[in-house]
PDB file of all heavy atoms in Angstrom:
ATOM      1  N   ILE B 201      31.093 -74.135 -23.365  1.00  0.00           N
ATOM      2  CA  ILE B 201      30.066 -74.402 -22.369  1.00  0.00           C
ATOM      3  C   ILE B 201      28.861 -75.108 -22.979  1.00  0.00           C
ATOM      4  O   ILE B 201      28.197 -75.925 -22.334  1.00  0.00           O
ATOM      5  CB  ILE B 201      29.668 -73.070 -21.692  1.00  0.00           C
ATOM      6  CG1 ILE B 201      29.311 -73.281 -20.241  1.00  0.00           C
ATOM      7  CG2 ILE B 201      28.550 -72.379 -22.391  1.00  0.00           C
ATOM      8  CD1 ILE B 201      29.280 -71.999 -19.458  1.00  0.00           C
ATOM      9  N   ALA B 202      28.559 -74.822 -24.254  1.00  0.00           N
ATOM     10  CA  ALA B 202      27.378 -75.438 -24.880  1.00  0.00           C
ATOM     11  C   ALA B 202      27.782 -76.323 -26.050  1.00  0.00           C
ATOM     12  O   ALA B 202      27.028 -76.498 -26.988  1.00  0.00           O
ATOM     13  CB  ALA B 202      26.408 -74.352 -25.350  1.00  0.00           C
ATOM     14  N   VAL B 203      28.983 -76.854 -25.987  1.00  0.00           N
ATOM     15  CA  VAL B 203      29.509 -77.608 -27.121  1.00  0.00           C
ATOM     16  C   VAL B 203      29.912 -79.000 -26.654  1.00  0.00           C
ATOM     17  O   VAL B 203      30.477 -79.166 -25.569  1.00  0.00           O
ATOM     18  CB  VAL B 203      30.731 -76.864 -27.711  1.00  0.00           C
ATOM     19  CG1 VAL B 203      31.283 -77.616 -28.891  1.00  0.00           C
ATOM     20  CG2 VAL B 203      30.362 -75.454 -28.109  1.00  0.00           C
ATOM     21  N   ASP B 204      29.638 -79.982 -27.490  1.00  0.00           N
ATOM     22  CA  ASP B 204      29.969 -81.357 -27.102  1.00  0.00           C
ATOM     23  C   ASP B 204      31.479 -81.575 -27.143  1.00  0.00           C
ATOM     24  O   ASP B 204      32.208 -80.811 -27.770  1.00  0.00           O
ATOM     25  CB  ASP B 204      29.271 -82.332 -28.044  1.00  0.00           C
ATOM     26  CG  ASP B 204      29.892 -82.276 -29.415  1.00  0.00           C
ATOM     27  OD1 ASP B 204      29.565 -81.332 -30.173  1.00  0.00           O
ATOM     28  OD2 ASP B 204      30.733 -83.128 -29.734  1.00  0.00           O
ATOM     29  N   PRO B 205      31.976 -82.612 -26.471  1.00  0.00           N
ATOM     30  CA  PRO B 205      33.426 -82.815 -26.358  1.00  0.00           C
ATOM     31  C   PRO B 205      34.122 -82.980 -27.709  1.00  0.00           C
ATOM     32  O   PRO B 205      35.228 -82.482 -27.889  1.00  0.00           O
ATOM     33  CB  PRO B 205      33.545 -84.104 -25.543  1.00  0.00           C
ATOM     34  CG  PRO B 205      32.262 -84.235 -24.831  1.00  0.00           C
ATOM     35  CD  PRO B 205      31.224 -83.577 -25.658  1.00  0.00           C
ATOM     36  N   VAL B 206      33.489 -83.663 -28.654  1.00  0.00           N
ATOM     37  CA  VAL B 206      34.157 -83.874 -29.943  1.00  0.00           C
ATOM     38  C   VAL B 206      34.347 -82.550 -30.663  1.00  0.00           C
ATOM     39  O   VAL B 206      35.437 -82.224 -31.143  1.00  0.00           O
ATOM     40  CB  VAL B 206      33.323 -84.852 -30.811  1.00  0.00           C
ATOM     41  CG1 VAL B 206      33.968 -85.003 -32.168  1.00  0.00           C
ATOM     42  CG2 VAL B 206      33.201 -86.185 -30.111  1.00  0.00           C
ATOM     43  N   THR B 207      33.269 -81.758 -30.697  1.00  0.00           N
ATOM     44  CA  THR B 207      33.370 -80.454 -31.342  1.00  0.00           C
ATOM     45  C   THR B 207      34.380 -79.575 -30.611  1.00  0.00           C
ATOM     46  O   THR B 207      35.129 -78.829 -31.227  1.00  0.00           O
ATOM     47  CB  THR B 207      31.991 -79.768 -31.364  1.00  0.00           C
ATOM     48  OG1 THR B 207      31.040 -80.703 -31.847  1.00  0.00           O
ATOM     49  CG2 THR B 207      32.003 -78.560 -32.258  1.00  0.00           C
ATOM     50  N   THR B 208      34.373 -79.673 -29.276  1.00  0.00           N
ATOM     51  CA  THR B 208      35.329 -78.894 -28.501  1.00  0.00           C
ATOM     52  C   THR B 208      36.753 -79.202 -28.953  1.00  0.00           C
ATOM     53  O   THR B 208      37.551 -78.296 -29.177  1.00  0.00           O
ATOM     54  CB  THR B 208      35.185 -79.217 -26.999  1.00  0.00           C
ATOM     55  OG1 THR B 208      33.853 -78.906 -26.601  1.00  0.00           O
ATOM     56  CG2 THR B 208      36.162 -78.400 -26.176  1.00  0.00           C
ATOM     57  N   MET B 209      37.036 -80.493 -29.128  1.00  0.00           N
ATOM     58  CA  MET B 209      38.378 -80.867 -29.569  1.00  0.00           C
ATOM     59  C   MET B 209      38.688 -80.283 -30.937  1.00  0.00           C
ATOM     60  O   MET B 209      39.787 -79.817 -31.190  1.00  0.00           O
ATOM     61  CB  MET B 209      38.506 -82.402 -29.631  1.00  0.00           C
ATOM     62  CG  MET B 209      38.581 -83.054 -28.268  1.00  0.00           C
ATOM     63  SD  MET B 209      39.948 -82.346 -27.316  1.00  0.00           S
ATOM     64  CE  MET B 209      39.534 -82.877 -25.682  1.00  0.00           C
ATOM     65  N   ARG B 210      37.698 -80.299 -31.816  1.00  0.00           N
ATOM     66  CA  ARG B 210      37.945 -79.747 -33.157  1.00  0.00           C
ATOM     67  C   ARG B 210      38.230 -78.258 -33.073  1.00  0.00           C
ATOM     68  O   ARG B 210      39.137 -77.748 -33.733  1.00  0.00           O
ATOM     69  CB  ARG B 210      36.727 -79.984 -34.046  1.00  0.00           C
ATOM     70  CG  ARG B 210      36.553 -81.439 -34.401  1.00  0.00           C
ATOM     71  CD  ARG B 210      35.339 -81.669 -35.251  1.00  0.00           C
ATOM     72  NE  ARG B 210      35.442 -81.026 -36.560  1.00  0.00           N
ATOM     73  CZ  ARG B 210      34.448 -81.027 -37.452  1.00  0.00           C
ATOM     74  NH1 ARG B 210      33.311 -81.610 -37.163  1.00  0.00           N
ATOM     75  NH2 ARG B 210      34.600 -80.451 -38.619  1.00  0.00           N
ATOM     76  N   ILE B 211      37.463 -77.571 -32.222  1.00  0.00           N
ATOM     77  CA  ILE B 211      37.706 -76.134 -32.100  1.00  0.00           C
ATOM     78  C   ILE B 211      39.080 -75.888 -31.476  1.00  0.00           C
ATOM     79  O   ILE B 211      39.805 -74.978 -31.884  1.00  0.00           O
ATOM     80  CB  ILE B 211      36.585 -75.463 -31.267  1.00  0.00           C
ATOM     81  CG1 ILE B 211      35.237 -75.631 -31.968  1.00  0.00           C
ATOM     82  CG2 ILE B 211      36.892 -73.991 -31.057  1.00  0.00           C
ATOM     83  CD1 ILE B 211      34.061 -75.074 -31.196  1.00  0.00           C
ATOM     84  N   GLU B 212      39.433 -76.730 -30.530  1.00  0.00           N
ATOM     85  CA  GLU B 212      40.753 -76.551 -29.905  1.00  0.00           C
ATOM     86  C   GLU B 212      41.859 -76.692 -30.941  1.00  0.00           C
ATOM     87  O   GLU B 212      42.832 -75.926 -30.929  1.00  0.00           O
ATOM     88  CB  GLU B 212      40.943 -77.562 -28.761  1.00  0.00           C
ATOM     89  CG  GLU B 212      40.099 -77.213 -27.541  1.00  0.00           C
ATOM     90  CD  GLU B 212      40.413 -78.111 -26.345  1.00  0.00           C
ATOM     91  OE1 GLU B 212      41.376 -78.892 -26.418  1.00  0.00           O
ATOM     92  OE2 GLU B 212      39.670 -78.013 -25.350  1.00  0.00           O
ATOM     93  N   ASP B 213      41.703 -77.651 -31.853  1.00  0.00           N
ATOM     94  CA  ASP B 213      42.711 -77.785 -32.919  1.00  0.00           C
ATOM     95  C   ASP B 213      42.775 -76.526 -33.765  1.00  0.00           C
ATOM     96  O   ASP B 213      43.850 -76.073 -34.153  1.00  0.00           O
ATOM     97  CB  ASP B 213      42.387 -79.000 -33.797  1.00  0.00           C
ATOM     98  CG  ASP B 213      42.599 -80.302 -33.032  1.00  0.00           C
ATOM     99  OD1 ASP B 213      43.372 -80.277 -32.045  1.00  0.00           O
ATOM    100  OD2 ASP B 213      41.989 -81.327 -33.403  1.00  0.00           O
ATOM    101  N   VAL B 214      41.578 -75.980 -34.042  1.00  0.00           N
ATOM    102  CA  VAL B 214      41.543 -74.748 -34.824  1.00  0.00           C
ATOM    103  C   VAL B 214      42.309 -73.639 -34.096  1.00  0.00           C
ATOM    104  O   VAL B 214      43.097 -72.908 -34.693  1.00  0.00           O
ATOM    105  CB  VAL B 214      40.072 -74.319 -35.057  1.00  0.00           C
ATOM    106  CG1 VAL B 214      40.008 -72.947 -35.687  1.00  0.00           C
ATOM    107  CG2 VAL B 214      39.363 -75.344 -35.908  1.00  0.00           C
ATOM    108  N   LEU B 215      42.080 -73.553 -32.786  1.00  0.00           N
ATOM    109  CA  LEU B 215      42.733 -72.485 -32.027  1.00  0.00           C
ATOM    110  C   LEU B 215      44.244 -72.617 -32.073  1.00  0.00           C
ATOM    111  O   LEU B 215      44.972 -71.625 -32.178  1.00  0.00           O
ATOM    112  CB  LEU B 215      42.249 -72.495 -30.571  1.00  0.00           C
ATOM    113  CG  LEU B 215      40.769 -72.176 -30.366  1.00  0.00           C
ATOM    114  CD1 LEU B 215      40.409 -72.224 -28.888  1.00  0.00           C
ATOM    115  CD2 LEU B 215      40.429 -70.806 -30.940  1.00  0.00           C
ATOM    116  N   LYS B 216      44.716 -73.861 -32.021  1.00  0.00           N
ATOM    117  CA  LYS B 216      46.168 -74.053 -32.075  1.00  0.00           C
ATOM    118  C   LYS B 216      46.735 -73.522 -33.385  1.00  0.00           C
ATOM    119  O   LYS B 216      47.823 -72.956 -33.410  1.00  0.00           O
ATOM    120  CB  LYS B 216      46.501 -75.546 -31.931  1.00  0.00           C
ATOM    121  CG  LYS B 216      46.395 -76.037 -30.505  1.00  0.00           C
ATOM    122  CD  LYS B 216      46.716 -77.531 -30.440  1.00  0.00           C
ATOM    123  CE  LYS B 216      46.099 -78.170 -29.212  1.00  0.00           C
ATOM    124  NZ  LYS B 216      45.808 -79.590 -29.415  1.00  0.00           N
ATOM    125  N   GLU B 217      45.968 -73.716 -34.476  1.00  0.00           N
ATOM    126  CA  GLU B 217      46.437 -73.173 -35.753  1.00  0.00           C
ATOM    127  C   GLU B 217      46.369 -71.657 -35.772  1.00  0.00           C
ATOM    128  O   GLU B 217      47.250 -70.988 -36.293  1.00  0.00           O
ATOM    129  CB  GLU B 217      45.583 -73.714 -36.901  1.00  0.00           C
ATOM    130  CG  GLU B 217      45.883 -75.145 -37.250  1.00  0.00           C
ATOM    131  CD  GLU B 217      44.846 -75.698 -38.205  1.00  0.00           C
ATOM    132  OE1 GLU B 217      44.260 -74.909 -38.981  1.00  0.00           O
ATOM    133  OE2 GLU B 217      44.604 -76.915 -38.159  1.00  0.00           O
ATOM    134  N   LEU B 218      45.292 -71.128 -35.173  1.00  0.00           N
ATOM    135  CA  LEU B 218      45.103 -69.681 -35.214  1.00  0.00           C
ATOM    136  C   LEU B 218      46.185 -68.938 -34.447  1.00  0.00           C
ATOM    137  O   LEU B 218      46.470 -67.780 -34.711  1.00  0.00           O
ATOM    138  CB  LEU B 218      43.735 -69.308 -34.628  1.00  0.00           C
ATOM    139  CG  LEU B 218      42.542 -69.661 -35.490  1.00  0.00           C
ATOM    140  CD1 LEU B 218      41.261 -69.345 -34.732  1.00  0.00           C
ATOM    141  CD2 LEU B 218      42.574 -68.874 -36.791  1.00  0.00           C
ATOM    142  N   ARG B 219      46.795 -69.609 -33.498  1.00  0.00           N
ATOM    143  CA  ARG B 219      47.848 -69.000 -32.703  1.00  0.00           C
ATOM    144  C   ARG B 219      48.956 -68.440 -33.592  1.00  0.00           C
ATOM    145  O   ARG B 219      49.609 -67.476 -33.238  1.00  0.00           O
ATOM    146  CB  ARG B 219      48.396 -70.032 -31.727  1.00  0.00           C
ATOM    147  CG  ARG B 219      49.709 -69.651 -31.097  1.00  0.00           C
ATOM    148  CD  ARG B 219      50.003 -70.455 -29.894  1.00  0.00           C
ATOM    149  NE  ARG B 219      49.686 -71.879 -30.085  1.00  0.00           N
ATOM    150  CZ  ARG B 219      49.729 -72.766 -29.115  1.00  0.00           C
ATOM    151  NH1 ARG B 219      50.049 -72.394 -27.895  1.00  0.00           N
ATOM    152  NH2 ARG B 219      49.448 -74.024 -29.343  1.00  0.00           N
ATOM    153  N   GLU B 220      49.157 -69.078 -34.760  1.00  0.00           N
ATOM    154  CA  GLU B 220      50.194 -68.587 -35.668  1.00  0.00           C
ATOM    155  C   GLU B 220      49.895 -67.161 -36.134  1.00  0.00           C
ATOM    156  O   GLU B 220      50.796 -66.434 -36.521  1.00  0.00           O
ATOM    157  CB  GLU B 220      50.285 -69.485 -36.913  1.00  0.00           C
ATOM    158  CG  GLU B 220      50.345 -70.971 -36.636  1.00  0.00           C
ATOM    159  CD  GLU B 220      51.680 -71.375 -36.040  1.00  0.00           C
ATOM    160  OE1 GLU B 220      52.700 -70.899 -36.566  1.00  0.00           O
ATOM    161  OE2 GLU B 220      51.706 -72.143 -35.062  1.00  0.00           O
ATOM    162  N   GLU B 221      48.618 -66.810 -36.124  1.00  0.00           N
ATOM    163  CA  GLU B 221      48.253 -65.532 -36.746  1.00  0.00           C
ATOM    164  C   GLU B 221      47.768 -64.482 -35.777  1.00  0.00           C
ATOM    165  O   GLU B 221      47.696 -63.310 -36.120  1.00  0.00           O
ATOM    166  CB  GLU B 221      47.127 -65.750 -37.757  1.00  0.00           C
ATOM    167  CG  GLU B 221      47.535 -66.571 -38.945  1.00  0.00           C
ATOM    168  CD  GLU B 221      46.338 -67.229 -39.570  1.00  0.00           C
ATOM    169  OE1 GLU B 221      45.354 -66.515 -39.828  1.00  0.00           O
ATOM    170  OE2 GLU B 221      46.366 -68.466 -39.762  1.00  0.00           O
ATOM    171  N   MET B 222      47.341 -64.879 -34.604  1.00  0.00           N
ATOM    172  CA  MET B 222      46.762 -63.888 -33.713  1.00  0.00           C
ATOM    173  C   MET B 222      47.030 -64.253 -32.262  1.00  0.00           C
ATOM    174  O   MET B 222      47.547 -65.321 -31.956  1.00  0.00           O
ATOM    175  CB  MET B 222      45.256 -63.749 -33.960  1.00  0.00           C
ATOM    176  CG  MET B 222      44.476 -65.014 -33.760  1.00  0.00           C
ATOM    177  SD  MET B 222      42.752 -64.863 -34.306  1.00  0.00           S
ATOM    178  CE  MET B 222      42.917 -64.941 -36.085  1.00  0.00           C
ATOM    179  N   THR B 223      46.684 -63.319 -31.416  1.00  0.00           N
ATOM    180  CA  THR B 223      46.824 -63.535 -29.987  1.00  0.00           C
ATOM    181  C   THR B 223      45.469 -63.954 -29.444  1.00  0.00           C
ATOM    182  O   THR B 223      44.452 -63.368 -29.819  1.00  0.00           O
ATOM    183  CB  THR B 223      47.276 -62.230 -29.315  1.00  0.00           C
ATOM    184  OG1 THR B 223      48.453 -61.783 -29.976  1.00  0.00           O
ATOM    185  CG2 THR B 223      47.550 -62.435 -27.851  1.00  0.00           C
ATOM    186  N   ILE B 224      45.474 -64.966 -28.618  1.00  0.00           N
ATOM    187  CA  ILE B 224      44.198 -65.493 -28.145  1.00  0.00           C
ATOM    188  C   ILE B 224      44.134 -65.421 -26.628  1.00  0.00           C
ATOM    189  O   ILE B 224      45.074 -65.844 -25.945  1.00  0.00           O
ATOM    190  CB  ILE B 224      44.013 -66.957 -28.615  1.00  0.00           C
ATOM    191  CG1 ILE B 224      43.983 -67.016 -30.147  1.00  0.00           C
ATOM    192  CG2 ILE B 224      42.748 -67.560 -28.025  1.00  0.00           C
ATOM    193  CD1 ILE B 224      43.958 -68.415 -30.714  1.00  0.00           C
ATOM    194  N   VAL B 225      43.054 -64.870 -26.112  1.00  0.00           N
ATOM    195  CA  VAL B 225      42.818 -64.905 -24.675  1.00  0.00           C
ATOM    196  C   VAL B 225      41.684 -65.881 -24.438  1.00  0.00           C
ATOM    197  O   VAL B 225      40.575 -65.698 -24.942  1.00  0.00           O
ATOM    198  CB  VAL B 225      42.446 -63.513 -24.121  1.00  0.00           C
ATOM    199  CG1 VAL B 225      42.290 -63.577 -22.611  1.00  0.00           C
ATOM    200  CG2 VAL B 225      43.500 -62.490 -24.504  1.00  0.00           C
ATOM    201  N   LEU B 226      41.984 -66.933 -23.710  1.00  0.00           N
ATOM    202  CA  LEU B 226      41.040 -68.030 -23.559  1.00  0.00           C
ATOM    203  C   LEU B 226      40.590 -68.118 -22.109  1.00  0.00           C
ATOM    204  O   LEU B 226      41.342 -68.557 -21.240  1.00  0.00           O
ATOM    205  CB  LEU B 226      41.730 -69.337 -23.973  1.00  0.00           C
ATOM    206  CG  LEU B 226      40.973 -70.625 -23.743  1.00  0.00           C
ATOM    207  CD1 LEU B 226      39.912 -70.808 -24.807  1.00  0.00           C
ATOM    208  CD2 LEU B 226      41.913 -71.813 -23.732  1.00  0.00           C
ATOM    209  N   VAL B 227      39.372 -67.681 -21.851  1.00  0.00           N
ATOM    210  CA  VAL B 227      38.805 -67.863 -20.518  1.00  0.00           C
ATOM    211  C   VAL B 227      38.140 -69.223 -20.494  1.00  0.00           C
ATOM    212  O   VAL B 227      37.364 -69.543 -21.400  1.00  0.00           O
ATOM    213  CB  VAL B 227      37.764 -66.770 -20.205  1.00  0.00           C
ATOM    214  CG1 VAL B 227      36.934 -67.149 -18.994  1.00  0.00           C
ATOM    215  CG2 VAL B 227      38.456 -65.443 -19.983  1.00  0.00           C
ATOM    216  N   THR B 228      38.471 -70.021 -19.527  1.00  0.00           N
ATOM    217  CA  THR B 228      37.878 -71.353 -19.517  1.00  0.00           C
ATOM    218  C   THR B 228      37.620 -71.826 -18.103  1.00  0.00           C
ATOM    219  O   THR B 228      38.338 -71.485 -17.169  1.00  0.00           O
ATOM    220  CB  THR B 228      38.769 -72.364 -20.270  1.00  0.00           C
ATOM    221  OG1 THR B 228      38.170 -73.647 -20.191  1.00  0.00           O
ATOM    222  CG2 THR B 228      40.157 -72.419 -19.669  1.00  0.00           C
ATOM    223  N   ASN B 229      36.539 -72.591 -17.974  1.00  0.00           N
ATOM    224  CA  ASN B 229      36.281 -73.194 -16.676  1.00  0.00           C
ATOM    225  C   ASN B 229      36.758 -74.646 -16.658  1.00  0.00           C
ATOM    226  O   ASN B 229      36.559 -75.362 -15.701  1.00  0.00           O
ATOM    227  CB  ASN B 229      34.797 -73.105 -16.310  1.00  0.00           C
ATOM    228  CG  ASN B 229      33.908 -73.559 -17.456  1.00  0.00           C
ATOM    229  OD1 ASN B 229      34.403 -73.997 -18.496  1.00  0.00           O
ATOM    230  ND2 ASN B 229      32.615 -73.470 -17.261  1.00  0.00           N
ATOM    231  N   LEU B 230      37.374 -75.054 -17.769  1.00  0.00           N
ATOM    232  CA  LEU B 230      37.936 -76.395 -17.810  1.00  0.00           C
ATOM    233  C   LEU B 230      39.439 -76.275 -17.637  1.00  0.00           C
ATOM    234  O   LEU B 230      40.141 -75.820 -18.531  1.00  0.00           O
ATOM    235  CB  LEU B 230      37.632 -77.065 -19.150  1.00  0.00           C
ATOM    236  CG  LEU B 230      36.168 -77.155 -19.549  1.00  0.00           C
ATOM    237  CD1 LEU B 230      36.041 -77.699 -20.956  1.00  0.00           C
ATOM    238  CD2 LEU B 230      35.421 -78.026 -18.559  1.00  0.00           C
ATOM    239  N   VAL B 231      39.899 -76.687 -16.485  1.00  0.00           N
ATOM    240  CA  VAL B 231      41.321 -76.553 -16.194  1.00  0.00           C
ATOM    241  C   VAL B 231      42.154 -77.301 -17.229  1.00  0.00           C
ATOM    242  O   VAL B 231      43.180 -76.818 -17.703  1.00  0.00           O
ATOM    243  CB  VAL B 231      41.594 -77.084 -14.772  1.00  0.00           C
ATOM    244  CG1 VAL B 231      43.077 -77.176 -14.519  1.00  0.00           C
ATOM    245  CG2 VAL B 231      40.923 -76.186 -13.750  1.00  0.00           C
TER     246      VAL B 231
END
Side-chain angles (χ1 to χ4, degrees):
Chain B
I201 214 165
V203 181
D204 70 281
V206 177
T207 312
T208 301
M209 287 304 164
R210 290 179 65 184
I211 298 177
E212 287 187 8
D213 291 337
V214 172
L215 295 180
K216 283 179 203 152
E217 285 170 28
L218 288 175
R219 165 163 43 187
E220 312 289 315
E221 294 156 50
M222 59 189 76
T223 306
I224 298 174
V225 183
L226 173 77
V227 166
T228 178
N229 48 3
L230 304 174
V231 171

